[in-house]
Amino acid sequence: MIKDSWGDQRVYWKFEGLMPSGSYKDRGVSVIVNWLVGQGVRTVMDDSSGNAGASLACYAARAALFARIFVPAYAPQPKKAQIAVYGAELVEVSGPRTAATEAAEASETGVDVVYASHAWHPACLLGFMTNAWEIWEQLGGRVPDWFVSPVGYGGLFLGAWRGFQHLHRSGVIERLPRMVAVQAEPITPICDAFHEGHSEIVPRRRVAPSILADGIAVERPVRNRSILWALRQSGGTAIVVNDEEILEAQERLAQRGLFVEPTSATVAAALTELGPQLKPSDTVVVNLTGLGLKRLPAV
Amino acid sequence: MIKDSWGDQRVYWKFEGLMPSGSYKDRGVSVIVNWLVGQGVRTVMDDSSGNAGASLACYAARAALFARIFVPAYAPQPKKAQIAVYGAELVEVSGPRTAATEAAEASETGVDVVYASHAWHPACLLGFMTNAWEIWEQLGGRVPDWFVSPVGYGGLFLGAWRGFQHLHRSGVIERLPRMVAVQAEPITPICDAFHEGHSEIVPRRRVAPSILADGIAVERPVRNRSILWALRQSGGTAIVVNDEEILEAQERLAQRGLFVEPTSATVAAALTELGPQLKPSDTVVVNLTGLGLKRLPAV
């Protein structure tokens, strides 16, 4: 975790890209893979915009499992190359992110062939709880006032929320952080439902010609009710950013030595809108979820 | 450090790619930048095949220094993009690696403009000593029998050697590891001089049509006498690998969950030749110096 400032605000960047496969997904995927190995599974499948697939391919290789990863054809080249190099079968699916999910769901499974969806599998959330526990440790046993995270399926968001709840129930922290979910235009189901006062998302067909924040381009997050509930229970909020804000934030982060992918830059971009709600003394922890090398800018 | 096996041999992979800029260079560059900031320097320059430049650009950005990086035009795209995104000035120089060095040396320097060459600067070696200290710590206070590292300028190799010597002089280890330097065809000055019995390299003009192991394509390593001396004093050896062996090793590493750039894969390839000299009980530590995302394979 890196103590820094962003405009007038002090922030802590939690640099989650520094994991074996280059994204925070490793926290959850390592737990999934260990669990599946114990169950005698031989082949794992997932659909992914890239990072979860790369992580699953990495840990599956380590555990000598065979991996089959369904990705949207628009997924960034580095992520696709990374999935393939680990020896996984890379299945490119044209159309929106949901088409990859549908292709994975339509695949045959069996006793030793499992659809290990990072969006569904409970072991993944267990792994993501460690994000909260590390933050608590790295703050010297304190809870942040604000926890800011990109939200696609919301795995990291919900895992960390459960991690903080666990610390609270255990009596080691006295309150919970205010949870902030960040999404990118045009795919903002959680933000829309939150601000419109719904307890679950309202399905909409969105047009996404270019998907800069590819890692969170999720139209139908499985656990959307839990995410919305966490936002409200914690007194948090949901913030939408656009491509221009993302690129500006990505550049500004890089020029502070933090090279992250566009999806990760959404959270820095959101700080501008969050700013007026923050007190200067507030402890703000912001998750930077993936390396910049995952999606290269043009030179 | 990751305990693993490679063929019949037990090895420890020291995964140096998991640093902020994605390569081991951060160990040395962070020390250089801190030192230069203390000296009132405002602009830093270096020539680099890519990783040192990306690292310097990263830490310079963090320290609010301006960085100008001279790279061979053939440097991989991800490394060039990474240097530029940190806000550094990227100067591409056509010709061999040495042309970039010559361009940097010809640049004007002054009181606050410094040629912070990772090949020359002593602070860099000080930073690289931590590689040896971490290995010692992660082995539970033991020294490995063998230390294997790619060698271009030999900074990591020599830094680690000094780190082990320091531990030895301090009385915490009872002997030194046997040091193994790995280079890739056709640019193998250290290996040639070692096996031909010279105490320094013999300059030769080499033809390098494609440079797969771009990170170690160094024809005239500055500290070559020290490297050769360390190899001999430690009872070590120098091993040459070729592109075919590198690609095979890279794929084999990835299929064990370790995605590294071709330069890093050289050391795994070298284990095949080193094998007959190893006892099964030997502790072998192998440095994997950079992430695979630094140079992408084709899908």
Side-chain angles (χ1 to χ4, degrees):
Chain A
M1 203 149 66
I2 298 161
K3 196 175 180 171
D4 201 5
S5 59
W6 187 258
D8 294 335
Q9 189 61 41
R10 290 182 309 130
V11 293
Y12 290 88
W13 307 115
K14 180 81 180 128
F15 200 172
E16 294 279 290
L18 299 180
M19 298 199 179
S21 84
S23 87
Y24 78 96
K25 298 281 189 187
D26 293 1
R27 290 188 189 275
V29 166
S30 55
V31 180
I32 291 186
V33 167
N34 272 294
W35 192 84
L36 293 177
V37 166
Q39 303 296 312
V41 169
R42 306 293 298 276
T43 296
V44 291
M45 300 190 302
D46 197 4
D47 57 286
S48 162
S49 65
N51 281 339
S55 180
L56 186 61
C58 173
Y59 283 83
R62 194 89 202 119
L65 300 182
F66 182 76
R68 182 178 299 128
I69 313 291
F70 297 81
V71 297
Y74 66 70
Q77 192 62 15
K79 296 184 184 183
K80 290 193 281 195
Q82 190 184 7
I83 291 168
V85 82
Y86 289 124
E89 183 185 344
L90 178 73
V91 185
E92 300 193 42
V93 184
S94 50
R97 173 71 183 81
T98 43
T101 306
E102 285 155 14
E105 287 174 349
S107 278
E108 267 190 56
T109 55
V111 175
D112 60 352
V113 182
V114 164
Y115 176 35
S117 165
H118 67 285
W120 286 93
H121 205 291
C124 210
L125 287 191
L126 286 178
F128 292 146
M129 289 170 80
T130 59
N131 177 260
W133 299 341
E134 274 188 20
I135 289 169
W136 170 75
E137 269 183 3
Q138 290 172 334
L139 289 177
R142 287 187 304 120
V143 63
D145 296 291
W146 298 86
F147 171 92
V148 185
S149 196
V151 168
Y153 277 111
L156 181 60
F157 179 91
L158 277 180
W161 171 242
R162 291 189 186 182
F164 285 122
Q165 286 179 311
H166 195 81
L167 292 173
H168 192 234
R169 281 200 306 275
S170 305
V172 298
I173 58 176
E174 294 187 350
R175 54 181 174 77
L176 290 162
R178 297 174 78 167
M179 304 290 286
V180 181
V182 182
Q183 300 198 302
E185 284 182 356
I187 300 176
T188 56
I190 296 292
C191 296
D192 297 348
F194 178 77
H195 292 293
E196 291 164 12
H198 305 304
S199 64
E200 63 186 317
I201 59 166
V202 180
R204 278 173 201 158
R205 173 75 34 210
R206 285 164 174 89
V207 180
S210 79
I211 299 181
L212 185 62
D214 57 90
I216 51 173
V218 177
E219 293 177 31
R220 284 175 281 172
V222 178
R223 297 185 173 101
N224 65 82
R225 291 179 66 95
S226 300
I227 297 168
L228 288 162
W229 186 81
L231 286 172
R232 296 215 171 86
Q233 211 209 10
S234 73
T237 190
I239 295 173
V240 173
V241 296
N242 63 36
D243 283 3
E244 195 183 339
E245 293 165 328
I246 294 170
L247 287 172
E248 192 201 325
Q250 187 189 26
E251 191 179 324
R252 211 171 135 201
L253 281 169
Q255 292 179 6
R256 305 185 70 72
L258 299 161
F259 179 31
V260 300
E261 63 171 322
T263 301
S264 303
T266 55
V267 283
L271 289 176
T272 307
E273 185 174 327
L274 187 62
Q277 297 190 58
L278 301 175
K279 287 187 297 239
S281 62
D282 277 354
T283 302
V284 183
V285 171
V286 182
N287 273 308
L288 302 176
T289 49
L291 288 182
L293 292 166
K294 291 278 197 167
R295 177 165 186 159
L296 293 170
V299 176
Chain B
M1 204 151 67
I2 299 161
K3 196 174 181 175
D4 201 7
S5 58
W6 188 257
D8 294 336
Q9 189 60 43
R10 288 183 311 131
V11 293
Y12 290 89
W13 308 115
K14 180 81 178 129
F15 200 171
E16 294 279 290
L18 299 180
M19 298 198 179
S21 84
S23 88
Y24 79 97
K25 299 282 188 186
D26 293 359
R27 290 188 189 277
V29 166
S30 55
V31 180
I32 290 186
V33 167
N34 273 293
W35 192 83
L36 293 177
V37 166
Q39 302 296 310
V41 168
R42 307 291 300 275
T43 297
V44 291
M45 300 191 301
D46 196 5
D47 57 285
S48 161
S49 64
N51 281 339
S55 179
L56 186 60
C58 173
Y59 283 83
R62 194 92 201 115
L65 301 180
F66 182 76
R68 182 179 298 129
I69 313 290
F70 299 81
V71 298
Y74 65 71
Q77 191 62 15
K79 296 184 183 181
K80 290 194 281 195
Q82 192 184 6
I83 291 167
V85 84
Y86 289 125
E89 183 185 345
L90 178 74
V91 185
E92 300 194 43
V93 184
S94 50
R97 174 70 182 78
T98 43
T101 307
E102 285 154 15
E105 286 173 350
S107 277
E108 268 190 56
T109 55
V111 174
D112 61 351
V113 181
V114 164
Y115 176 34
S117 166
H118 68 286
W120 287 92
H121 205 289
C124 210
L125 288 191
L126 286 178
F128 292 145
M129 290 169 80
T130 59
N131 176 258
W133 299 342
E134 274 188 19
I135 290 169
W136 170 75
E137 269 184 2
Q138 290 172 332
L139 289 177
R142 288 185 304 119
V143 63
D145 297 291
W146 299 86
F147 170 93
V148 185
S149 195
V151 168
Y153 277 110
L156 181 60
F157 179 91
L158 277 180
W161 172 240
R162 291 189 186 182
F164 285 123
Q165 286 178 313
H166 196 82
L167 293 173
H168 192 232
R169 281 200 307 276
S170 306
V172 299
I173 58 175
E174 294 188 349
R175 55 181 174 77
L176 291 162
R178 299 175 77 166
M179 303 290 287
V180 181
V182 182
Q183 300 198 301
E185 285 181 354
I187 299 176
T188 57
I190 297 290
C191 296
D192 297 349
F194 178 78
H195 292 293
E196 291 164 12
H198 305 303
S199 63
E200 62 186 318
I201 59 166
V202 181
R204 278 172 198 158
R205 172 85 20 218
R206 285 163 173 91
V207 180
S210 80
I211 299 182
L212 186 62
D214 56 271
I216 51 172
V218 177
E219 292 177 28
R220 286 175 280 172
V222 179
R223 297 186 171 99
N224 66 82
R225 291 178 67 96
S226 300
I227 298 168
L228 289 162
W229 185 82
L231 287 172
R232 295 214 171 87
Q233 211 210 11
S234 73
T237 190
I239 295 173
V240 173
V241 295
N242 63 35
D243 282 3
E244 195 183 338
E245 292 164 329
I246 293 170
L247 287 173
E248 192 200 325
Q250 187 190 24
E251 190 179 325
R252 213 172 133 199
L253 281 169
Q255 293 179 6
R256 305 185 70 71
L258 299 160
F259 179 31
V260 299
E261 63 171 322
T263 301
S264 303
T266 58
V267 283
L271 290 175
T272 307
E273 187 174 326
L274 187 63
Q277 296 190 59
L278 301 174
K279 289 188 296 240
S281 62
D282 277 354
T283 302
V284 183
V285 172
V286 182
N287 272 308
L288 302 176
T289 49
L291 288 183
L293 291 168
K294 291 277 197 168
R295 179 167 182 155
L296 293 169
V299 177

